[in-house]
């Protein structure tokens, strides 16, 4: 039949064998900011349980809970002091059991964060490790003697910079050695070279929670466990800086595949889903090895191509707001979409998480007159890409970045805070440099994902009864909130619901289909085909605040492009142009 229009490349998009997580829609929850059930100003586990019906109503099939474990919270829970207990202000193990059974009784799956590149410095393993050089757990972390420079000054074992703008080594006075931490000093890196350490990690962090009934893990920093032998210096990119970015050395190290295969075997008796966080991995063959079904390592990864768009290279903040063009975004999307073409691998579709600023503010427009259309258009993009779909709390109601006029004191995250302090130190608090740093932080910092969820127009946006919330509630919570959007058919929330229904109805095309961009170089519109064995869908998106001409591609005789869903009402026609931030999805129908 002429109109089925097979693409030139064979349609082998992803191994479509029925794994529950492939057609899944994962809703990510950040416990501190989702819902406070006990009025202490901080979200908690019971708060999450109280909102499960809401999460299900959006069309999500799985929830991912960011770290709920006991922790001194230097990096908001990514510094775990005990894998087997819950951070007391969040609740108890019983509350987690209730959350797990609350999910399962509703037909939802639940995955939790697995943070095993490092622990908190308060974890008992590190406390033992640092107690003396001869302690049996000394080798569970990465300890090295000092080096000395030409002037006899003590210097760290290498020149690596941590992910948080500081030295990656901290000197331990008591035992006179340095320990490695790729993140905060309060997050020492575990030594994965030691088989005994790995065994303990698997038992405490993985099997403990699988036995409790969780359905899998989002695996933090999944490519950093294996460090290069002898920990060499990183190349000097910034001669003025004391420490150098070293991600190309500590990501994807020599034993990564071996470690992930071993971890896979630990999970094999359970029907799990794993999604690994995979920054700094430009080498496609490495990525494919992590996620090829035959390799048995991870089910899928989060690549950073899309969320890195517009960020600086030396450091993420070394940029100015909106420093990107649409062709760059298209190329980034293509990198993760192409991963499944002709392979047995699987991929993900996402634009937000707890480490990213809000997508409307970054990729479309958060101006009052555009933000609803922007939110709907980005929902269409996210929900028509192949792979498992991830939505971050608040994305479904179009939450935007914190207001520009909030002072730097409102930013609570260690990453933005350290960067700002670093610039202050390096420039002797030069006002121009600080203003540039603040502008970059206002555009890109992780804090924008972490202010409280906006539920309704009551004080504190319905997040907490306590006026002292741990982060300030957004000034626009009266305008952007769940209750108001429930009642509005045209809201971003109700558009996401419709879009997820469409995604499910056309799953072969939208979840599993072959992606092919049509207007690679166009700076204003973004169009692509999704193709399955016997049908095709066309998505057209306007990324500007102006109308854009729309010329639909010619289809072969016997075929017609029928509009399945648009982000605008279409009662009046106007099919020849796309309105500001409009998105449309057409399905190719064959006349019989
Ligand atoms: O992030 C790992 C990571 O690579 C970060 O540097 C990420 O690129 C950065 O946050 C983007 O601004 C994971 C977690 O997602 C993050 O929240 C933790 O802080 C980090 O690991 C340490 O556990």
């Amino acid at each position: 039949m002429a109109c089925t229009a097979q693409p030139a490349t064979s349609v082998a998009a992803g191994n479509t064998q029925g794994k529950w997580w492939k057609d899944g829609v994962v809703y990510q929850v950040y416990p501190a900011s989702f819902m406070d059930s006990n009025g202490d100003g901080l979200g908690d586990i019971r708060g999450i349980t109280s909102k499960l019906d809401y999460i299900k109503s959006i069309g999500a099939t799985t929830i991912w809970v960011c770290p709920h474990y006991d922790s001194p919270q230097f990096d908001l829970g990514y510094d775990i002091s005990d894998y087997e207990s819950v951070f007391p202000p969040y609740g108890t193990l019983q509350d987690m059991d209730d959350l797990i059974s609350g999910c399962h009784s509703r037909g939802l799956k639940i995955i939790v964060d697995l943070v095993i590149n490092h622990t908190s410095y308060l974890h008992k393993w590190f406390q033992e490790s640092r107690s003396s050089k001869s302690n049996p757990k000394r080798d569970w972390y990465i300890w090295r003697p000092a080096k000395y420079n030409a002037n006899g000054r003590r210097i760290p074992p290498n020149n690596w910079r941590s992910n948080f703008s500081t030295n990656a080594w901290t000197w331990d006075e008591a035992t006179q050695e340095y320990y490695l931490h790729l993140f905060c000093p309060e997050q020492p890196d575990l030594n994965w070279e030691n088989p005994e350490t790995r065994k303990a990690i698997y038992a405490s962090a993985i099997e403990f929670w699988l036995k409790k009934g969780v359905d899998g893990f989002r695996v933090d920093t999944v490519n950093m466990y294996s460090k290069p032998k002898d920990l060499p210096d990183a190349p000097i990119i910034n001669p003025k800086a004391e420490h150098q970015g070293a991600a190309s050395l500590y990501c994807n190290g020599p034993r990564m595949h071996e470690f992930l295969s071993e971890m896979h075997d630990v999970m094999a008796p359970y029907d799990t889903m794993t999604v690994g966080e995979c920054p700094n991995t430009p080498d496609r063959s490495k990525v494919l090895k992590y996620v090829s079904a035959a390799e048995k390592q991870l089910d899928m990864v989060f690549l950073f191509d899309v969320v890195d768009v517009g960020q600086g290279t030396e450091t993420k903040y070394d940029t100015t707001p909106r420093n990107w063009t649409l062709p760059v975004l298209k190329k980034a999307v293509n990198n993760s979409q192409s991963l499944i073409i002709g392979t047995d691998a699987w991929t993900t579709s996402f634009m937000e998480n707890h480490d990213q600023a809000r997508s409307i503010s970054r990729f479309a427009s958060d101006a009052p007159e555009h933000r609803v259309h922007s939110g709907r258009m980005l929902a269409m993009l996210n929900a028509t890409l192949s792979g498992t779909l991830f939505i971050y709390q608040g994305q479904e109601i179009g939450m935007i970045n914190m207001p520009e006029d909030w002072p730097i004191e409102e930013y609570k995250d260690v990453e933005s805070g350290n960067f700002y302090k670093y610039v202050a130190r390096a420039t002797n608090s030069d006002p121009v440099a600080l203003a540039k740093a603040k502008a970059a932080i206002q555009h890109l910092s992780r804090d924008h994902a972490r202010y409280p969820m906006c539920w309704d127009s009551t004080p504190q946006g319905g997040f907490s009864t306590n006026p002292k919330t741990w982060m300030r509630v957004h000034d626009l919570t009266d305008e952007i909130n769940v209750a108001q959007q429930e009642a509005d058919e045209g809201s971003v929330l109700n558009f996401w619901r419709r879009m997820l229904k469409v995604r499910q109805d056309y799953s072969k095309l939208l979840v599993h289909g072959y992606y092919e961009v049509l207007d690679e170089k166009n700076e204003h519109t973004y169009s692509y085909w999704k193709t399955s064995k016997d049908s095709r869908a066309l998505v057209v998106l306007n990324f500007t605040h102006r109308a854009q001409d729309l010329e639909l591609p010619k289809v072969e005789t016997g075929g017609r492009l029928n509009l399945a869903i648009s982000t605008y009402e279409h009662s009046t026609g106007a099919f020849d142009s796309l309105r500001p931030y409009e998105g449309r999805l057409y399905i190719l129908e064959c006349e019989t």
Side-chain angles (χ1 to χ4, degrees):
M1 198 168 27
C3 91
T4 53
Q6 286 269 15
T9 320
S10 72
V11 183
N15 172 357
T16 51
Q17 300 292 298
K19 291 278 191 190
W20 59 266
W21 34 262
K22 288 198 168 172
D23 281 78
V25 176
V26 184
Y27 185 89
Q28 182 190 354
V29 174
Y30 199 63
S33 310
F34 193 56
M35 182 65 202
D36 172 16
S37 75
N38 63 0
D40 63 358
L42 184 73
D44 46 48
I45 308 295
R46 286 184 186 198
I48 303 173
T49 308
S50 73
K51 296 292 185 186
L52 290 178
D53 289 331
Y54 165 72
I55 295 174
K56 191 166 162 111
S57 81
I58 304 165
T61 58
T62 300
I63 72 166
W64 149 23
V65 184
C66 282
H68 58 280
Y69 313 94
D70 203 2
S71 159
Q73 307 287 332
F74 282 87
D75 184 20
L76 246 280
Y78 283 88
D79 48 325
I80 298 170
S81 54
D82 182 358
Y83 291 107
E84 298 173 32
S85 65
V86 174
F87 179 48
Y90 287 166
T92 60
L93 281 175
Q94 183 60 51
D95 292 335
M96 276 306 288
D97 288 339
D98 294 345
L99 176 62
I100 294 168
S101 60
C103 286
H104 290 161
S105 67
R106 287 167 177 83
L108 290 168
K109 304 271 191 186
I110 171 170
I111 64 170
V112 291
D113 236 287
L114 181 59
V115 189
I116 48 181
N117 174 67
H118 43 265
T119 65
S120 160
Y121 74 125
L122 295 184
H123 195 291
K124 61 180 187 230
W125 298 341
F126 188 69
Q127 294 294 308
E128 286 182 47
S129 182
R130 81 181 320 176
S131 66
S132 81
K133 275 187 185 154
S134 58
N135 185 278
K137 290 203 173 58
R138 182 66 169 183
D139 186 46
W140 284 38
Y141 292 82
I142 302 171
W143 292 97
R144 291 288 182 280
K147 279 187 175 170
Y148 291 88
N149 68 11
N151 306 328
R153 188 167 74 92
R154 190 188 71 221
I155 53 167
N158 67 24
N159 66 355
W160 293 4
R161 184 177 69 215
S162 82
N163 280 278
F164 293 148
S165 314
T166 61
N167 185 353
W169 296 91
T170 287
W171 177 247
D172 182 57
E173 263 316 317
T175 56
Q176 297 283 299
E177 277 189 326
Y178 281 97
Y179 66 86
L180 178 71
H181 51 87
L182 297 182
F183 295 88
C184 292
E186 295 81 5
Q187 289 168 294
D189 277 51
L190 283 156
N191 178 16
W192 276 69
E193 299 293 326
N194 183 333
E196 209 190 325
T197 315
R198 299 205 299 276
K199 235 168 119 187
I201 294 171
Y202 302 148
S204 188
I206 298 179
E207 289 174 292
F208 180 86
W209 287 98
L210 286 176
K211 285 181 194 145
K212 280 202 163 291
V214 303
D215 301 291
F217 300 96
R218 174 270 186 183
V219 196
D220 191 63
T221 52
V222 79
N223 57 356
M224 301 186 195
Y225 309 156
S226 168
K227 286 21 177 212
K229 208 169 167 282
D230 303 330
L231 307 174
D233 275 338
I236 296 177
I237 304 290
N238 179 359
K240 285 199 208 125
E242 204 177 336
H243 315 294
Q244 304 293 323
S248 61
L249 288 170
Y250 60 68
C251 288
N252 310 306
R255 295 184 69 190
M256 264 326 306
H257 296 297
E258 178 193 339
F259 294 158
L260 291 183
S261 300
E262 192 179 85
M263 192 163 93
H264 183 277
D265 291 348
V266 174
M267 299 196 201
Y270 304 82
D271 180 20
T272 57
M273 142 180 177
T274 52
V275 51
E277 186 199 25
C278 199
N280 309 304
T281 312
D283 179 350
R284 289 286 110 171
S285 64
K286 285 254 173 219
V287 178
L288 267 178
K289 201 153 180 188
Y290 289 141
V291 292
S292 145
E295 292 286 344
K296 295 193 166 61
Q297 296 184 18
L298 295 164
D299 293 327
M300 61 194 108
V301 289
F302 294 127
L303 294 178
F304 275 56
D305 304 76
V306 169
V307 291
D308 280 352
V309 166
Q311 296 196 356
T313 42
E314 224 283 276
T315 77
K316 143 182 177 180
Y317 293 117
D318 189 19
T319 186
T320 50
R322 301 186 161 272
N323 193 5
W324 60 280
T325 59
L326 194 51
V328 174
L329 179 65
K330 292 175 194 174
K331 194 158 178 259
V333 171
N334 190 55
N335 279 348
S336 57
Q337 289 295 290
S338 60
L339 205 58
I340 62 176
I341 307 299
T343 70
D344 67 347
W346 191 239
T347 192
T348 54
S349 165
F350 75 101
M351 259 192 163
E352 289 192 19
N353 60 41
H354 65 292
D355 289 337
Q356 301 299 332
R358 294 291 180 173
S359 56
I360 292 180
S361 304
R362 287 183 68 183
F363 298 115
S365 169
D366 59 12
E369 66 278 26
H370 294 308
R371 66 172 180 251
V372 172
H373 284 302
S374 294
R376 297 203 294 218
M377 186 271 286
L378 292 176
M380 182 171 280
L381 169 63
N382 280 267
T384 51
L385 294 178
S386 291
T388 300
L389 174 62
F390 291 79
I391 305 173
Y392 181 69
Q393 69 182 42
Q395 186 179 359
E396 80 281 13
I397 58 168
M399 280 168 63
I400 58 176
N401 277 5
M402 289 154 46
E404 277 179 35
D405 59 3
W406 282 11
I408 195 73
E409 291 72 32
E410 299 294 354
Y411 291 76
K412 306 293 177 200
D413 180 32
V414 61
E415 189 214 42
S416 43
N418 278 6
F419 175 72
Y420 196 76
K421 281 184 226 148
Y422 162 78
V423 173
R425 258 196 330 270
T427 67
N428 209 4
S429 294
D430 170 42
V432 175
L434 286 179
K436 184 169 182 280
K438 168 78 190 322
I441 288 172
Q442 204 284 325
H443 189 53
L444 290 174
S445 99
R446 313 197 298 183
D447 303 77
H448 303 296
R450 300 177 178 194
Y451 70 81
M453 176 77 185
C454 307
W455 292 102
D456 56 38
S457 311
T458 62
Q460 292 78 248
F463 162 71
S464 173
T465 52
N466 192 328
K468 279 202 172 143
T469 51
W470 79 279
M471 267 189 89
R472 181 168 164 185
V473 172
H474 203 286
D475 298 354
L476 292 180
T477 190
D478 280 358
E479 290 171 41
I480 306 174
N481 67 59
V482 173
Q484 169 260 324
Q485 296 198 19
E486 288 280 8
D488 173 4
E489 261 313 295
S491 64
V492 179
L493 174 61
N494 281 319
F495 186 79
W496 264 104
R497 286 187 171 130
R498 285 201 291 283
M499 209 48 238
L500 293 181
K501 177 80 180 37
V502 171
R503 180 173 173 86
Q504 198 181 29
D505 291 346
Y506 294 99
S507 153
K508 274 193 196 155
L509 283 168
L510 303 183
V511 182
H512 300 266
Y514 168 88
Y515 161 96
E516 190 185 9
V517 71
L518 284 170
D519 52 0
E520 207 181 333
K521 299 219 162 67
N522 190 312
E523 308 226 332
H524 310 295
T525 62
Y526 185 174
S527 320
Y528 47 94
W529 284 113
K530 293 296 298 290
T531 308
S532 71
K533 274 209 181 74
D534 46 21
S535 58
R536 285 192 113 178
L538 174 74
V539 180
V540 286
L541 308 167
N542 179 358
F543 265 76
T544 72
H545 62 278
R546 294 204 176 83
Q548 298 291 341
D549 290 343
L550 171 67
E551 206 184 315
L552 291 178
K554 289 210 171 24
V555 293
E556 280 139 80
T557 324
R560 202 181 44 221
L561 284 168
N562 281 343
L563 184 66
I565 182 167
S566 160
T567 58
Y568 273 74
E569 292 299 318
H570 269 276
S571 48
T572 56
F575 278 88
D576 54 346
S577 72
L578 284 170
R579 282 169 275 186
Y581 298 106
E582 180 174 2
R584 291 188 210 158
L585 167 68
Y586 293 89
I587 301 291
L588 180 66
E589 310 276 1
C590 296
E591 284 155 6
T592 46

